[in-house]
Amino acid sequence: MTTPAVPMVKAEGVHKSFGHAHILKGIDLEVAAGEVFCLVGPSGSGKSTFLRCINHLEKISAGRLSVDGHLVGYRQKGDKLYELKEREVAAQRRDIGMVFQRFNLFPHMTAVENVMEAPVQVKGESKTAARERALKLLERVGLGNRTDNYPSQLSGGQQQRVAIARALAMEPKLMLFDEPTSALDPELVGEVLDVMRGLAEDGMTMVVVTHEMGFAREVGDSLVFMDDGVVVESGHPRDVLTDPQHERTKAFLSKVL
């Protein structure tokens, strides 16, 4: 008998509140290893908050959230959950790459230095090894000729591609993208989505919060529509986008497609 594969991400009844604001209201979902999982929905629906819970940038208020079979931010003893120490959480985060709307690059470092930084500082890699891999990653995201440029010398799309290379430098098993193209001029969106397509083809597990419905349709394996902190509808992207079953999904898609 084959044992069932462990989901890369598993959310069970995940709730998140900020004070009196109840942002996530019981999220249940699974992301398989190697899957491109797209989250769509209106602003304020809880998509980005959920993404930040996956790597414990936000602590969940209730429920369970695990990555590759391990609880995120907690350990279980008996039937109780105990929060991990910050250094233990940091160790978990090494396996989870995250790309934000804003590129968050170090302005005083070149592209290659930005990509080298975490492996050297966090993993204790030698600068030589880290630089060698950083150069390969910048080549992979189409910036082999921009390695010594500072962020201020790069376009938004180029900066976001450096940010993707920087996340990949830690050799994560899971990549989280929080609306990675929303801060870009329209003509720069394609170059970032092309890099993400390449990652999908290489089998990287990706959870992508996006407004790019074309990308979700072409590259996504699963699509979840969230609204007001709950999963309203989920399925294969083409099915959800072409034949939504829920009135709320239909209303949302009529505005964005």
Side-chain angles (χ1 to χ4, degrees):
M1 232 173 80
T2 56
T3 52
V6 175
M8 184 59 78
V9 179
K10 184 171 186 175
E12 302 168 89
V14 170
H15 288 255
K16 174 64 185 174
S17 297
F18 295 100
H20 294 299
H22 196 176
I23 307 299
L24 300 177
K25 302 171 182 173
I27 301 292
D28 294 294
L29 56 80
E30 289 188 7
V31 180
E35 187 173 18
V36 178
F37 192 96
C38 297
L39 286 167
V40 304
S43 295
S45 58
K47 310 180 302 294
S48 295
T49 299
F50 177 69
L51 204 69
R52 292 170 68 84
C53 289
I54 295 175
N55 65 358
H56 207 60
L57 285 174
E58 299 290 355
K59 297 175 189 177
I60 64 176
S61 306
R64 295 162 64 90
L65 191 50
S66 53
V67 170
D68 203 18
H70 301 284
L71 281 173
V72 174
Y74 297 90
R75 72 172 183 280
Q76 185 161 358
K77 207 171 176 183
D79 55 359
K80 279 206 166 133
L81 293 182
Y82 296 91
E83 190 161 3
L84 297 179
K85 294 184 173 72
E86 186 50 45
R87 62 183 171 76
E88 296 171 299
V89 175
Q92 285 187 330
R93 280 198 196 115
R94 291 181 192 185
D95 292 330
I96 306 172
M98 185 148 186
V99 178
F100 300 89
Q101 293 180 36
R102 297 282 164 193
F103 327 119
N104 299 344
L105 298 177
F106 296 116
H108 61 290
M109 292 183 181
T110 62
V112 72
E113 287 167 346
N114 264 285
V115 179
M116 287 169 60
E117 181 72 0
V120 171
Q121 298 299 335
V122 179
K123 282 188 167 178
E125 262 186 34
S126 75
K127 285 194 171 178
T128 309
R131 182 178 174 83
E132 196 174 308
R133 195 159 79 253
L135 291 171
K136 283 183 183 155
L137 286 168
L138 287 168
E139 190 72 48
R140 181 179 177 182
V141 299
L143 292 172
N145 60 341
R146 295 288 196 163
T147 57
D148 295 322
N149 287 118
Y150 288 92
S152 61
Q153 299 169 311
L154 300 171
S155 71
Q158 289 168 335
Q159 289 184 64
Q160 192 62 295
R161 286 186 279 153
V162 174
I164 293 172
R166 180 181 59 182
L168 292 172
M170 290 295 282
E171 300 181 308
K173 56 175 105 167
L174 168 66
M175 286 281 281
L176 308 176
F177 292 88
D178 188 7
E179 301 194 16
T181 58
S182 67
L184 300 178
D185 292 332
E187 67 269 23
L188 303 178
V189 167
E191 63 193 47
V192 173
L193 294 180
D194 284 345
V195 169
M196 292 169 67
R197 274 191 197 93
L199 291 178
E201 284 162 14
D202 292 344
M204 174 62 78
T205 312
M206 296 156 64
V207 181
V208 186
V209 172
T210 186
H211 292 298
E212 303 292 338
M213 299 301 161
F215 174 84
R217 185 188 283 114
E218 277 172 59
V219 184
D221 298 300
S222 300
L223 182 140
V224 157
F225 169 66
M226 278 177 71
D227 188 29
D228 196 27
V230 298
V231 172
V232 175
E233 191 163 340
S234 62
H236 190 278
R238 285 199 181 91
D239 296 339
V240 177
L241 293 174
T242 54
D243 187 22
Q245 300 302 301
H246 197 283
E247 287 308 319
R248 185 67 197 86
T249 319
K250 290 176 188 172
F252 172 75
L253 292 176
S254 72
K255 294 186 180 80
V256 297
L257 287 179

XYZ file of all heavy atoms in Angstrom, residues 103 105-111 114 149-156 158-159 162:
160
model
N 9.615 45.348 -3.382
C 10.744 44.446 -3.616
C 11.619 44.267 -2.376
O 12.263 43.251 -2.196
C 11.570 44.953 -4.806
C 10.701 45.633 -5.843
C 10.877 46.971 -6.181
C 9.662 44.943 -6.437
C 10.047 47.597 -7.097
C 8.823 45.558 -7.365
C 9.016 46.887 -7.692
N 14.460 45.271 -1.490
C 15.893 45.003 -1.683
C 16.704 45.963 -0.822
O 16.252 47.055 -0.485
C 16.275 45.186 -3.157
C 15.587 44.259 -4.171
C 16.023 44.625 -5.587
C 15.882 42.796 -3.880
N 17.915 45.540 -0.461
C 18.816 46.438 0.265
C 19.372 47.464 -0.725
O 20.075 47.084 -1.673
C 19.966 45.656 0.901
C 19.511 44.689 1.959
C 19.683 43.318 1.792
C 18.913 45.138 3.131
C 19.262 42.421 2.760
C 18.488 44.240 4.111
C 18.671 42.881 3.925
N 19.065 48.757 -0.546
C 19.441 49.749 -1.556
C 20.954 49.947 -1.689
O 21.429 50.346 -2.742
C 18.766 51.038 -1.073
C 18.494 50.828 0.376
C 18.306 49.352 0.566
N 21.707 49.634 -0.615
C 23.163 49.866 -0.639
C 23.927 48.664 -1.181
O 25.156 48.666 -1.189
C 23.661 50.192 0.777
C 23.425 49.073 1.757
N 22.161 48.739 2.188
C 24.278 48.204 2.354
C 22.258 47.710 3.033
N 23.524 47.366 3.145
N 23.194 47.622 -1.632
C 23.847 46.421 -2.160
C 23.499 46.234 -3.625
O 22.382 46.528 -4.046
C 23.377 45.166 -1.400
C 23.827 45.090 0.032
S 23.254 43.514 0.729
C 23.875 43.674 2.393
N 24.448 45.687 -4.380
C 24.194 45.376 -5.788
C 23.233 44.187 -5.866
O 22.947 43.533 -4.857
C 25.495 45.005 -6.515
O 26.032 43.820 -5.890
C 26.511 46.138 -6.458
N 22.784 43.894 -7.087
C 21.875 42.758 -7.290
C 22.491 41.471 -6.753
O 21.856 40.730 -5.997
C 21.544 42.616 -8.775
N 22.630 41.410 -2.960
C 21.305 41.166 -2.386
C 20.979 39.667 -2.372
O 20.427 39.151 -1.401
C 20.225 41.914 -3.181
C 19.863 43.258 -2.562
O 19.164 43.323 -1.553
N 20.353 44.334 -3.176
N 24.520 46.039 -10.742
C 23.684 47.237 -10.621
C 23.053 47.310 -9.236
O 22.719 46.283 -8.636
C 22.556 47.216 -11.664
C 23.066 47.503 -13.068
O 22.948 46.661 -13.937
N 23.619 48.678 -13.289
N 22.872 48.532 -8.754
C 22.150 48.749 -7.502
C 20.652 48.843 -7.804
O 20.268 49.154 -8.949
C 22.640 50.051 -6.836
C 24.027 49.919 -6.269
C 25.153 50.258 -7.036
C 24.219 49.423 -4.972
C 26.440 50.103 -6.526
C 25.506 49.271 -4.456
C 26.607 49.616 -5.229
O 27.871 49.449 -4.720
N 19.794 48.574 -6.825
C 18.345 48.626 -7.064
C 17.887 49.917 -7.745
O 17.010 49.876 -8.623
C 17.747 48.495 -5.656
C 18.743 47.637 -4.933
C 20.088 48.081 -5.455
N 18.479 51.051 -7.382
C 18.064 52.330 -7.979
C 18.371 52.399 -9.479
O 17.828 53.248 -10.186
C 18.753 53.491 -7.263
O 20.160 53.362 -7.401
N 19.226 51.499 -9.951
C 19.576 51.482 -11.380
C 18.737 50.467 -12.156
O 18.960 50.266 -13.348
C 21.067 51.132 -11.532
C 21.993 52.136 -10.856
C 23.435 51.626 -10.784
O 23.695 50.504 -10.371
N 24.371 52.464 -11.206
N 17.783 49.833 -11.470
C 16.975 48.794 -12.107
C 15.513 49.217 -12.176
O 15.029 49.960 -11.317
C 17.068 47.493 -11.295
C 18.459 46.879 -11.131
C 18.413 45.724 -10.128
C 19.005 46.393 -12.463
N 14.806 48.724 -13.194
C 13.354 48.975 -13.288
C 12.645 48.162 -12.202
O 13.232 47.249 -11.596
C 12.834 48.537 -14.660
O 12.854 47.113 -14.743
N 11.356 48.471 -11.998
C 10.574 47.708 -11.023
C 10.551 46.223 -11.331
O 10.709 45.385 -10.440
N 12.767 44.504 -13.001
C 14.086 43.931 -12.736
C 14.310 43.749 -11.234
O 14.845 42.726 -10.795
C 15.171 44.829 -13.340
C 15.195 44.779 -14.869
C 16.055 45.873 -15.479
O 16.274 46.926 -14.869
N 16.538 45.631 -16.682
N 13.877 44.742 -10.443
C 14.016 44.613 -8.993
C 13.214 43.417 -8.463
O 13.689 42.679 -7.592
C 13.547 45.891 -8.291
C 14.481 47.075 -8.490
C 14.011 48.284 -7.692
O 13.975 48.239 -6.474
N 13.637 49.350 -8.386
N 15.102 40.304 -9.146
C 16.181 40.135 -8.157
C 15.591 39.573 -6.858
O 16.169 38.666 -6.232
C 16.921 41.470 -7.874
C 17.935 41.292 -6.735
C 17.635 41.976 -9.124
